[in-house]
């Protein structure tokens, strides 16, 4: 289909530049994109009849990574070695 | 816009309200019911963390072990460059993860069965509600049809009522005839009884009068003669009776 309506997973690497240029970067656009991403994640992993631990565990792992990233400057002081 | 002229001809407040109601409803395809059912299983996730799509993405280029090699290399790089710092939180995370994984492996199926049972009960109650209401509406439809059939027999009802009324009228008419007859008979009986009584009184009076006059006319002389004649007759009779014996 047309480039701007395709989801990110189906965009080839060469077309990534043009796909990004067709994106809507206003606040409403960003909010809409976040809403779409969240609802597609929910529909795929959470709103199913027989789900497993995968749906929430991925969210928790993402939260762990994000919080590690936010606290990295503080954690850098607890390195074991000075030179790597 | 396409409302018929008759609706527009209503008085203005009514026309405004009615024209709002004549717009077309439910003409588009999109509608909220029936809601499509939920998918049976979620997206595939390997080791509880990484979606299957990642492995499929790397399979054509690196085969089956590609993502694992990528993971190992990444982990070693992070550790050696100390981008991931090993501290007390690492030990805590290891213990917590061990307990969580042990818990999920041991109690997972039971919890899943319990949740499935809850869902089943909800679905069953909703289905039962739907079935009950459909059943009730079906019986209501049949009752309505029966009532319509019953209403067809109203001609019999009216005939019976007409017959009843005719019989009432007839019975009333005959009662009144009987009353008239008995009243007339009572008056005629009275007249007859009056006449009979009068004649009887006249007879009695006449007999009494004749007796009184006869008794008055018997003088003592005649009484003596008649007694002597009777004695003579008796003697003659007794003689003839003796002779016969």
């Amino acid at each position: 289909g047309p480039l701007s309506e395709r989801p990110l997973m189906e965009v080839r690497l060469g077309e990534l530049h043009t796909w990004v240029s067709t994106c809507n970067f206003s606040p409403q656009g960003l909010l809409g994109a976040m809403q779409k991403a969240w609802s597609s994640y929910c529909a795929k992993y959470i709103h199913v009849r027989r789900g497993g631990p995968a749906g929430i565990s991925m969210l928790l792992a993402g939260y762990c990574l994000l919080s590690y990233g936010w606290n990295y400057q503080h954690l850098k002081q607890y390195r074991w070695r000075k030179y790597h | 816009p396409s409302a018929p002229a008759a609706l527009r001809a209503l008085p203005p407040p009514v026309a405004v309200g009615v024209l709002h109601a004549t717009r077309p409803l439910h003409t588009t395809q999109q509608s909220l019911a029936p809601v499509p059912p939920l998918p049976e299983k979620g997206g595939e996730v390997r080791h509880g963390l990484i979606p299957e799509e990642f492995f499929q993405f790397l399979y054509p280029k690196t085969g089956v072990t590609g993502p694992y090699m990528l993971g190992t290399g990444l982990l070693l790089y992070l550790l050696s460059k100390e981008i991931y710092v090993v501290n007390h939180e690492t030990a805590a995370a290891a213990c917590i993860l061990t307990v969580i994984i042990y818990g999920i492996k041991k109690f997972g199926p039971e919890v899943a069965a319990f949740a499935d049972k809850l869902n089943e009960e909800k679905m069953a109650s909703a289905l039962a509600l739907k079935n009950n209401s459909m059943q009730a509406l079906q019986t209501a439809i049949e009752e309505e049809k029966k009532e319509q059939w019953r209403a067809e027999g109203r001609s019999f009802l009216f005939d019976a009522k007409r017959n009843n009324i005719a019989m009432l009228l007839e019975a009333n008419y005959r009662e009144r005839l009987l009353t008239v007859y008995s009243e007339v008979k009572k008056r005629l009986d009275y007249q007859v009884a009056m006449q009979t009584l009068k004649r009887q009184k006249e007879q009695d009076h006449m007999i009494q009068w004749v007796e009184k006059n006869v008794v008055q006319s018997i003088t003592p002389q005649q009484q003596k003669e008649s007694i002597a004649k009777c004695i003579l007759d008796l003697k003659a009779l007794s003689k003839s009776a003796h002779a016969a014996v």
Side-chain angles (χ1 to χ4, degrees):
Chain A
L3 184 52
S4 55
E5 269 88 44
R6 257 187 279 171
L8 185 53
M9 281 291 131
E10 293 169 20
V11 170
R12 307 182 95 90
L13 270 174
E15 297 167 351
L16 198 60
H17 194 232
T18 36
W19 185 87
V20 167
S21 69
T22 62
C23 250
N24 179 16
F25 283 111
S26 67
Q28 291 97 332
L30 283 176
L31 207 63
M34 271 177 47
Q35 188 84 0
K36 215 157 73 84
W38 173 250
S39 63
S40 56
Y41 177 81
C42 273
K44 187 159 179 202
Y45 291 106
I46 301 185
H47 296 323
V48 290
R49 281 222 190 122
R50 312 194 51 212
I56 325 167
S57 75
M58 280 202 281
L59 283 174
L60 286 175
Y63 169 70
C64 287
L65 286 176
L66 260 182
S67 67
Y68 189 86
W70 284 334
N71 293 338
Y72 184 62
Q73 294 301 321
H74 174 72
L75 285 166
K76 227 162 56 161
Q77 297 156 16
Y78 293 98
R79 281 183 169 173
W80 289 52
R81 296 278 185 273
K82 197 166 157 195
Y83 302 107
H84 301 98
Chain B
S2 61
L7 287 176
R8 283 182 198 271
L10 292 169
V14 181
V16 166
V18 163
L19 281 176
H20 272 297
T22 52
R23 74 187 184 281
L25 293 169
H26 289 300
T27 46
T28 59
Q29 286 290 50
Q30 174 191 16
S31 80
L32 291 174
V35 177
L38 289 177
E40 191 66 27
K41 284 183 75 63
E44 279 287 323
V45 171
R46 220 189 266 206
H47 303 301
L49 279 180
I50 306 153
E52 192 67 31
E53 281 85 7
F54 184 66
F55 292 84
Q56 298 304 324
F57 179 63
L58 290 180
Y59 180 76
K61 292 285 191 261
T62 59
V64 181
T65 54
Y68 293 107
M69 299 314 298
L70 177 66
T72 314
L74 203 62
L75 194 63
L76 286 176
Y77 164 70
L78 291 175
L79 281 172
S80 75
K81 283 284 190 191
E82 283 213 286
I83 297 177
Y84 177 69
V85 178
V86 175
N87 51 6
H88 61 286
E89 283 177 14
T90 312
C95 299
I96 291 174
L97 276 177
T98 314
V99 168
I100 287 180
I101 290 175
Y102 173 73
I104 287 183
K105 287 270 185 275
K106 186 125 192 270
F107 300 114
E110 292 173 9
V111 171
F114 177 69
D116 279 344
K117 195 157 74 77
L118 285 179
N119 256 3
E120 273 299 307
E121 281 166 17
K122 277 190 213 166
M123 288 270 294
S125 70
L127 261 180
L129 202 67
K130 177 182 108 162
N131 281 348
N132 279 352
S133 60
M134 277 188 48
Q135 198 66 31
L137 287 173
Q138 197 70 26
T139 41
I141 288 176
E142 271 154 36
E143 292 274 310
E144 187 64 32
K145 287 216 165 72
K146 197 147 182 230
E147 287 298 316
Q148 283 177 351
W149 168 80
R150 274 198 194 138
E152 282 173 19
R154 61 186 179 270
S155 62
F156 296 122
L157 191 67
F158 294 155
D159 279 345
K161 287 200 172 184
R162 233 176 273 134
N163 280 351
N164 274 1
I165 290 177
M167 254 195 276
L168 274 178
L169 285 175
E170 184 77 23
N172 207 1
Y173 173 66
R174 288 194 188 186
E175 259 183 50
R176 290 188 191 173
L177 267 185
L178 188 66
T179 320
V180 163
Y181 165 78
S182 57
E183 285 292 307
V184 166
K185 187 156 180 308
K186 269 199 311 196
R187 277 158 181 63
L188 290 176
D189 281 344
Y190 171 72
Q191 293 297 327
V192 163
M194 279 283 285
Q195 282 180 358
T196 321
L197 184 68
K198 198 164 170 198
R199 193 164 297 155
Q200 193 157 353
K201 285 287 177 223
E202 284 174 354
Q203 266 184 342
D204 287 343
H205 187 251
M206 205 174 290
I207 289 170
Q208 267 184 343
W209 189 78
V210 164
E211 277 182 6
K212 199 171 77 175
N213 278 4
V214 164
V215 164
Q216 271 179 349
S217 72
I218 296 177
T219 60
Q221 177 64 29
Q222 274 180 324
Q223 210 169 352
K224 271 190 198 162
E225 286 178 5
S226 61
I227 286 175
K229 185 84 185 352
C230 288
I231 290 172
L232 283 172
D233 281 337
L234 274 171
K235 279 184 183 166
L237 272 172
S238 72
K239 276 186 187 155
S240 64
H242 270 299
V245 167

mmCIF file of all heavy atoms in Angstrom, chain B residues 189-206:
data_model
loop_
_atom_site.group_PDB
_atom_site.id
_atom_site.type_symbol
_atom_site.label_atom_id
_atom_site.label_comp_id
_atom_site.label_asym_id
_atom_site.label_seq_id
_atom_site.Cartn_x
_atom_site.Cartn_y
_atom_site.Cartn_z
ATOM 1 N N ASP B 189 -112.732 -14.755 39.449
ATOM 2 C CA ASP B 189 -113.081 -15.625 40.588
ATOM 3 C C ASP B 189 -113.827 -14.821 41.651
ATOM 4 O O ASP B 189 -114.773 -15.324 42.293
ATOM 5 C CB ASP B 189 -111.797 -16.219 41.177
ATOM 6 C CG ASP B 189 -111.305 -17.384 40.349
ATOM 7 O OD1 ASP B 189 -112.099 -17.887 39.539
ATOM 8 O OD2 ASP B 189 -110.126 -17.804 40.530
ATOM 9 N N TYR B 190 -113.402 -13.607 41.823
ATOM 10 C CA TYR B 190 -114.072 -12.776 42.831
ATOM 11 C C TYR B 190 -115.530 -12.568 42.478
ATOM 12 O O TYR B 190 -116.424 -12.689 43.322
ATOM 13 C CB TYR B 190 -113.330 -11.437 42.929
ATOM 14 C CG TYR B 190 -114.018 -10.402 43.763
ATOM 15 C CD1 TYR B 190 -114.053 -10.527 45.149
ATOM 16 C CD2 TYR B 190 -114.647 -9.296 43.165
ATOM 17 C CE1 TYR B 190 -114.681 -9.570 45.920
ATOM 18 C CE2 TYR B 190 -115.271 -8.347 43.943
ATOM 19 C CZ TYR B 190 -115.287 -8.481 45.311
ATOM 20 O OH TYR B 190 -115.899 -7.539 46.076
ATOM 21 N N GLN B 191 -115.780 -12.273 41.202
ATOM 22 C CA GLN B 191 -117.169 -12.051 40.785
ATOM 23 C C GLN B 191 -117.999 -13.306 41.005
ATOM 24 O O GLN B 191 -119.129 -13.245 41.515
ATOM 25 C CB GLN B 191 -117.202 -11.658 39.308
ATOM 26 C CG GLN B 191 -116.563 -10.306 39.011
ATOM 27 C CD GLN B 191 -117.310 -9.198 39.689
ATOM 28 O OE1 GLN B 191 -118.549 -9.283 39.847
ATOM 29 N NE2 GLN B 191 -116.596 -8.170 40.101
ATOM 30 N N VAL B 192 -117.411 -14.483 40.620
ATOM 31 C CA VAL B 192 -118.155 -15.748 40.787
ATOM 32 C C VAL B 192 -118.459 -16.001 42.251
ATOM 33 O O VAL B 192 -119.588 -16.377 42.634
ATOM 34 C CB VAL B 192 -117.324 -16.901 40.173
ATOM 35 C CG1 VAL B 192 -117.807 -18.240 40.662
ATOM 36 C CG2 VAL B 192 -117.379 -16.845 38.673
ATOM 37 N N ALA B 193 -117.432 -15.748 43.096
ATOM 38 C CA ALA B 193 -117.664 -16.007 44.531
ATOM 39 C C ALA B 193 -118.742 -15.080 45.077
ATOM 40 O O ALA B 193 -119.608 -15.513 45.907
ATOM 41 C CB ALA B 193 -116.337 -15.789 45.265
ATOM 42 N N MET B 194 -118.745 -13.853 44.607
ATOM 43 C CA MET B 194 -119.792 -12.928 45.072
ATOM 44 C C MET B 194 -121.170 -13.447 44.717
ATOM 45 O O MET B 194 -122.095 -13.442 45.540
ATOM 46 C CB MET B 194 -119.577 -11.550 44.414
ATOM 47 C CG MET B 194 -118.532 -10.722 45.080
ATOM 48 S SD MET B 194 -119.131 -9.990 46.580
ATOM 49 C CE MET B 194 -120.157 -8.708 45.908
ATOM 50 N N GLN B 195 -121.336 -13.878 43.476
ATOM 51 C CA GLN B 195 -122.661 -14.356 43.051
ATOM 52 C C GLN B 195 -123.074 -15.570 43.851
ATOM 53 O O GLN B 195 -124.249 -15.679 44.283
ATOM 54 C CB GLN B 195 -122.617 -14.695 41.567
ATOM 55 C CG GLN B 195 -122.691 -13.465 40.704
ATOM 56 C CD GLN B 195 -122.654 -13.843 39.244
ATOM 57 O OE1 GLN B 195 -122.542 -15.020 38.899
ATOM 58 N NE2 GLN B 195 -122.765 -12.848 38.379
ATOM 59 N N THR B 196 -122.163 -16.518 44.050
ATOM 60 C CA THR B 196 -122.506 -17.733 44.800
ATOM 61 C C THR B 196 -122.943 -17.383 46.224
ATOM 62 O O THR B 196 -123.937 -17.924 46.754
ATOM 63 C CB THR B 196 -121.288 -18.669 44.879
ATOM 64 O OG1 THR B 196 -120.592 -18.653 43.646
ATOM 65 C CG2 THR B 196 -121.692 -20.065 45.224
ATOM 66 N N LEU B 197 -122.147 -16.471 46.810
ATOM 67 C CA LEU B 197 -122.501 -16.095 48.184
ATOM 68 C C LEU B 197 -123.894 -15.486 48.254
ATOM 69 O O LEU B 197 -124.703 -15.805 49.143
ATOM 70 C CB LEU B 197 -121.447 -15.086 48.665
ATOM 71 C CG LEU B 197 -121.602 -14.664 50.132
ATOM 72 C CD1 LEU B 197 -121.305 -15.816 51.028
ATOM 73 C CD2 LEU B 197 -120.711 -13.487 50.421
ATOM 74 N N LYS B 198 -124.205 -14.612 47.286
ATOM 75 C CA LYS B 198 -125.524 -13.953 47.302
ATOM 76 C C LYS B 198 -126.658 -14.972 47.208
ATOM 77 O O LYS B 198 -127.627 -14.916 47.968
ATOM 78 C CB LYS B 198 -125.570 -12.985 46.125
ATOM 79 C CG LYS B 198 -126.647 -11.956 46.245
ATOM 80 C CD LYS B 198 -126.374 -10.817 45.261
ATOM 81 C CE LYS B 198 -127.603 -9.937 45.230
ATOM 82 N NZ LYS B 198 -127.649 -9.075 44.066
ATOM 83 N N ARG B 199 -126.495 -15.926 46.235
ATOM 84 C CA ARG B 199 -127.550 -16.926 46.072
ATOM 85 C C ARG B 199 -127.736 -17.755 47.331
ATOM 86 O O ARG B 199 -128.861 -18.028 47.763
ATOM 87 C CB ARG B 199 -127.193 -17.833 44.916
ATOM 88 C CG ARG B 199 -128.368 -18.708 44.479
ATOM 89 C CD ARG B 199 -128.103 -19.286 43.113
ATOM 90 N NE ARG B 199 -127.986 -18.282 42.136
ATOM 91 C CZ ARG B 199 -127.310 -18.452 41.002
ATOM 92 N NH1 ARG B 199 -126.690 -19.586 40.756
ATOM 93 N NH2 ARG B 199 -127.250 -17.479 40.132
ATOM 94 N N GLN B 200 -126.615 -18.133 47.969
ATOM 95 C CA GLN B 200 -126.703 -18.965 49.165
ATOM 96 C C GLN B 200 -127.401 -18.219 50.285
ATOM 97 O O GLN B 200 -128.264 -18.772 50.983
ATOM 98 C CB GLN B 200 -125.285 -19.349 49.590
ATOM 99 C CG GLN B 200 -125.277 -20.445 50.617
ATOM 100 C CD GLN B 200 -123.951 -21.168 50.584
ATOM 101 O OE1 GLN B 200 -123.118 -20.918 49.716
ATOM 102 N NE2 GLN B 200 -123.780 -22.049 51.522
ATOM 103 N N LYS B 201 -127.014 -16.962 50.421
ATOM 104 C CA LYS B 201 -127.694 -16.178 51.468
ATOM 105 C C LYS B 201 -129.182 -16.077 51.231
ATOM 106 O O LYS B 201 -130.011 -16.176 52.158
ATOM 107 C CB LYS B 201 -127.068 -14.774 51.529
ATOM 108 C CG LYS B 201 -125.729 -14.747 52.174
ATOM 109 C CD LYS B 201 -125.834 -14.937 53.677
ATOM 110 C CE LYS B 201 -124.468 -14.986 54.268
ATOM 111 N NZ LYS B 201 -124.351 -16.002 55.236
ATOM 112 N N GLU B 202 -129.561 -15.857 49.951
ATOM 113 C CA GLU B 202 -130.994 -15.773 49.638
ATOM 114 C C GLU B 202 -131.698 -17.080 49.973
ATOM 115 O O GLU B 202 -132.783 -17.101 50.561
ATOM 116 C CB GLU B 202 -131.166 -15.425 48.158
ATOM 117 C CG GLU B 202 -130.889 -13.973 47.862
ATOM 118 C CD GLU B 202 -130.927 -13.718 46.355
ATOM 119 O OE1 GLU B 202 -131.058 -14.688 45.558
ATOM 120 O OE2 GLU B 202 -130.818 -12.544 45.962
ATOM 121 N N GLN B 203 -131.031 -18.227 49.609
ATOM 122 C CA GLN B 203 -131.644 -19.535 49.893
ATOM 123 C C GLN B 203 -131.840 -19.735 51.373
ATOM 124 O O GLN B 203 -132.934 -20.129 51.843
ATOM 125 C CB GLN B 203 -130.739 -20.641 49.344
ATOM 126 C CG GLN B 203 -131.103 -21.089 47.969
ATOM 127 C CD GLN B 203 -130.244 -22.242 47.524
ATOM 128 O OE1 GLN B 203 -129.192 -22.480 48.084
ATOM 129 N NE2 GLN B 203 -130.696 -22.978 46.520
ATOM 130 N N ASP B 204 -130.786 -19.457 52.121
ATOM 131 C CA ASP B 204 -130.891 -19.680 53.572
ATOM 132 C C ASP B 204 -131.983 -18.808 54.176
ATOM 133 O O ASP B 204 -132.809 -19.267 54.992
ATOM 134 C CB ASP B 204 -129.559 -19.330 54.253
ATOM 135 C CG ASP B 204 -128.504 -20.388 53.971
ATOM 136 O OD1 ASP B 204 -128.889 -21.491 53.552
ATOM 137 O OD2 ASP B 204 -127.296 -20.090 54.178
ATOM 138 N N HIS B 205 -132.020 -17.609 53.757
ATOM 139 C CA HIS B 205 -133.016 -16.700 54.312
ATOM 140 C C HIS B 205 -134.431 -17.185 54.009
ATOM 141 O O HIS B 205 -135.320 -17.175 54.867
ATOM 142 C CB HIS B 205 -132.778 -15.313 53.728
ATOM 143 C CG HIS B 205 -133.643 -14.290 54.374
ATOM 144 N ND1 HIS B 205 -134.706 -13.691 53.733
ATOM 145 C CD2 HIS B 205 -133.599 -13.772 55.627
ATOM 146 C CE1 HIS B 205 -135.288 -12.830 54.544
ATOM 147 N NE2 HIS B 205 -134.646 -12.858 55.713
ATOM 148 N N MET B 206 -134.653 -17.621 52.732
ATOM 149 C CA MET B 206 -135.974 -18.095 52.346
ATOM 150 C C MET B 206 -136.371 -19.318 53.153
ATOM 151 O O MET B 206 -137.510 -19.416 53.628
ATOM 152 C CB MET B 206 -135.961 -18.433 50.854
ATOM 153 C CG MET B 206 -137.329 -18.353 50.230
ATOM 154 S SD MET B 206 -137.252 -18.585 48.460
ATOM 155 C CE MET B 206 -136.473 -17.119 47.977
#
